[in-house]
Amino acid sequence: MKPDFPISSLKGIGPKTEELFHLIGVCTVGDILLYFPRDYERYPQICDPDTFVPEQKNAVFARAPKSPSVHVRSHLKTAVLDVSGENRTIRILWFRAPYICSVVKAGGFYVFYGKVTEKDGRYYMEQPEILPRESYEAAQKTLRPIYGLTKGLSNKLVIRTVEAALADIPLEMEYLPEDVRVRNSLCEYNYALKNIHLPADEASCITARNRLVFDEFFFFILCMQLTRDQSMVLKNEFTMIQPGMQRADDADFVASLTEKLPYPLTGAQQRTIRQIQEDMRSEHVMQRLIQGDVGSGKTIVAFLAMLDCANSGYQSAIMAPTDVLARQHAQRLTELTQRLELSYPVILLTGSLTARERREAYTALEREKSALIVGTHALIQDKVTYNRLALVITDEQHRFGVKQREAFFRKGPHPHIIVMSATPIPRTLAIILYGDMDISVIDEVPAKRRPIRNCVVDTSFREKAYRFIENQVREGHQAYVICPLVEETEHSEGENVLDYVKRLRKVFPDEIRVAGLHGRMKAEEKNQIMEAFLENRIQVLVSTTVIEVGVDVANATVMMIENAEKFGLAQLHQLRGRVGRGDAQSYCIFMQGTAQEGENARLAVLNKSNDGFFIAGEDLKLRGPGDFFGIRQSGEFRFRLADIYQDAGLMEKASREAAQLLREDPGLTDPSHRALRERLRVYAGEDFSLLNL
């Protein structure tokens, strides 16, 4: 069997199950092997019916006084068994599983493994696993993988499918050079793939993960360095100050604009603008990262750079990750040009425009030489033709890669590139991750920004938090509630968007509109909800982390994050940055679902600081690269396993090895690197042709 065979090639995967796998992005046999566990489960110590812990998973060892009985209700057959100790009884339920009666024998002793819940003074365990004591004790020595699921897809089925794929697919050829593996104590690839899914023990799992994380960083950095080598030779064909067209104030044009702004720029903003101006007047094409904390004023810096282009007779474009944010940029850019009494046209191009609006935008792009262009990925469609596009700005790196840059390059002379990032990355890591770009850091926050007030609380505070949100809404403001999950699934521990929306609609009066938002929605539906929230037609938005790159809603004053312990610190800081964008005082409530010592220490950092760079540094100290079971961060780099904070040490090793490899064999033409080159081809996909090989 080959990796590109459909997932239905594996035994037991019928059409309905295949559709469920497609929902989680698994279409082929190879996909399932790269669908890594999101967590691992350690089997707890065995207890008896008197010593279990309610609301947690327990391994209850008990005697079955009789075989389970079958209860039928609405054609649903449920196997029921009561097991008792001296003081407590647990009712065990298996839904749609009458066959359990032949598995559990009267008088037999079993370990029942599952979550014990309490309802109306009685204890219940639903759908537990049933194991002999010897089998359970053997399982305690292993780690059980936990996968991301969708409704209808069980963790047990995913494990069984992974086992089948590992048994049927032939071994991969090792592609990392032997000296690289030895220097960095990395295991062989096939060992890593097996033990990331089905680890014999914790040590095997960590060894496997280290290898796979190293690979992710190594190939990412190789691709980046190879494109960097190519971009360094691109000559700048745009001169911001054109001979024969200069006016006396051209050199000070941007400085004169800043004096007309309703607020002073910070020193960091002014420094960044100067760096951009120097780049755009240099001999080479600019590729610059502007790294700034939430609220540091990156957008006005981008707008001023666009006006600098327009003043010299060139077009510029800013690409937003969402339709709603693009429209917001266009509106603000129009307001800015009017305030500054400038006549440069602002052109909007997004996928949601009508056919007539799109045709008018295409015509304007070809005609207007000093246009300020705002859009989404519609800006790089084949039909779009620019007229001397000199500058491209994007505000989310993870949605704009090598392929998209090349699409802009194909539309004419190579434009300057600016990428804006709000993810607070320590400079040493940023230099590695953005090795193909120069870096500007905006490390000051405008004085007009009011610090967000934070609190870390447990779930006993939830009702009080609801009342606080209701009061804020009655004062005319809005609120976000963040949940870690879209819907409830097997092994899902935490609040989910779908159920939470129903709950809040019962909690709040009808005049407070509550809506949900998550990544499984179609783009059009997400845009409609975000626009309604922007216009205050929705007062409380319940969402997953999809709103990290949402819209700027100045009226939102409350951010409440459920199960805050499940998110990385940098991600929590990004989410918090959705509020505090207006004049009103804003608040962030970190709701803990659990209260473990390490999680308390992490959230305490957020409680005392709004500085993203400080938080990123503290995150590294608290977790460190060896914290295997730490919380994964989110943000700009969507690795399958790697985390730029948790795995900083491996990233640095991968960076050194990639640099040494390219020094010794710049084109990867050595016969000993043939397997590595082929693996790089698979990793880069369509972008492989863009690499300097």
Side-chain angles (χ1 to χ4, degrees), residues 254-474:
V254 173
S256 68
L257 296 183
T258 61
E259 294 175 0
K260 299 177 184 178
L261 295 175
Y263 47 81
L265 296 183
T266 64
Q269 286 173 311
Q270 294 176 33
R271 180 179 67 244
T272 301
I273 291 170
R274 286 195 299 271
Q275 291 169 338
I276 292 170
Q277 288 182 298
E278 290 171 2
D279 281 352
M280 291 198 298
R281 288 158 175 78
S282 71
E283 294 182 356
H284 297 286
V285 170
M286 170 179 64
Q287 295 203 82
R288 180 168 290 276
L289 167 72
I290 301 177
Q291 189 182 11
D293 205 351
V294 287
S296 61
K298 297 182 294 299
T299 304
I300 186 60
V301 169
F303 287 172
L304 290 171
M306 295 174 75
L307 292 172
D308 192 18
C309 280
N311 182 57
S312 292
Y314 295 117
Q315 291 182 339
S316 58
I318 182 167
M319 180 189 281
T322 65
D323 188 287
V324 178
L325 192 55
R327 291 177 181 275
Q328 196 168 41
H329 279 333
Q331 180 183 346
R332 291 185 174 178
L333 196 49
T334 301
E335 293 170 353
L336 179 64
T337 56
Q338 291 172 351
R339 171 183 284 275
L340 299 176
E341 299 178 341
L342 299 171
S343 58
Y344 306 129
V346 177
I347 301 173
L348 176 68
L349 182 59
T350 71
S352 65
L353 295 182
T354 64
R356 179 181 176 181
E357 290 171 333
R358 198 174 298 116
R359 285 195 301 270
E360 291 174 350
Y362 291 158
T363 301
L365 288 175
E366 294 184 40
R367 183 181 66 244
E368 301 290 351
K369 293 182 179 179
S370 298
L372 309 170
I373 305 160
V374 183
T376 56
H377 275 67
L379 293 176
I380 55 176
Q381 290 176 341
D382 292 338
K383 294 181 180 179
V384 180
T385 302
Y386 295 98
N387 189 339
R388 301 203 303 176
L389 178 66
L391 173 65
V392 175
I393 302 169
T394 67
D395 63 357
E396 287 299 332
Q397 167 75 9
H398 70 274
R399 294 172 183 253
F400 185 76
V402 174
K403 189 177 178 182
Q404 287 75 24
R405 292 189 207 175
E406 184 68 17
F408 273 117
F409 291 166
R410 288 196 300 268
K411 294 182 178 297
H414 297 80
H416 298 292
I417 299 289
I418 292 176
V419 174
M420 298 191 295
S421 168
T423 301
I425 305 171
R427 188 170 182 84
T428 53
L429 303 187
I431 290 171
I432 296 173
L433 289 166
Y434 292 99
D436 59 338
M437 311 192 93
D438 296 309
I439 300 175
S440 295
V441 179
I442 301 180
D443 50 7
E444 300 175 59
V445 177
K448 69 185 183 77
R449 295 270 302 199
R450 299 177 70 172
I452 297 170
R453 293 181 181 173
N454 308 292
C455 65
V456 178
V457 296
D458 60 29
T459 53
S460 65
F461 187 83
R462 187 177 283 135
E463 293 302 319
K464 188 174 181 180
Y466 291 162
R467 300 285 73 80
F468 180 77
I469 290 172
E470 183 176 343
N471 290 337
Q472 286 287 300
V473 171
R474 293 193 183 283

Side-chain angles (χ1 to χ4, degrees), residues 483-524:
C483 298
L485 304 169
V486 174
E487 62 185 354
E488 185 178 11
T489 62
E490 181 191 359
H491 294 284
S492 62
E493 298 289 336
E495 300 293 340
N496 70 84
V497 170
L498 300 183
D499 290 338
Y500 211 102
V501 168
K502 296 176 185 177
R503 180 196 304 174
L504 288 189
R505 284 175 178 167
K506 294 178 181 178
V507 168
F508 294 139
D510 293 341
E511 61 267 24
I512 296 179
R513 286 201 60 197
V514 179
L517 184 73
H518 55 79
R520 295 184 192 170
M521 290 178 167
K522 294 181 179 179
E524 183 179 354

Side-chain angles (χ1 to χ4, degrees), residues 47-77:
C47 63
D48 60 46
D50 285 323
T51 58
F52 65 82
V53 181
E55 306 306 324
Q56 290 186 17
K57 285 192 172 182
N58 292 265
V60 178
F61 182 64
R63 176 179 174 273
K66 60 180 182 178
S67 292
S69 56
V70 176
H71 297 188
V72 181
R73 184 175 180 181
S74 300
H75 304 291
L76 174 65
K77 294 182 178 180

Side-chain angles (χ1 to χ4, degrees), residues 9-25:
S9 304
L10 295 172
K11 185 179 180 181
I13 306 298
K16 290 185 178 180
T17 305
E18 184 178 22
E19 288 180 13
L20 292 175
F21 273 111
H22 288 178
L23 290 176
I24 61 172

Side-chain angles (χ1 to χ4, degrees), residues 81 85 166 174 245 372 449 490:
L81 175 69
L166 285 169
E174 179 56 70
M245 295 180 60
L372 309 170
R449 295 270 302 199
E490 181 191 359

Side-chain angles (χ1 to χ4, degrees), residues 40-43 137-145 166 191-209 628-629:
Y40 296 89
E41 189 173 50
R42 292 183 176 90
Y43 289 92
E137 289 174 342
Q140 281 184 289
K141 300 174 184 177
T142 67
L143 294 175
R144 185 187 193 195
L166 285 169
Y191 176 91
L193 201 59
K194 179 180 184 299
N195 281 277
I196 197 68
H197 286 289
L198 306 170
D201 49 38
E202 184 173 326
S204 302
C205 192
I206 292 174
T207 299
R209 184 182 181 280
F628 173 66
F629 291 100

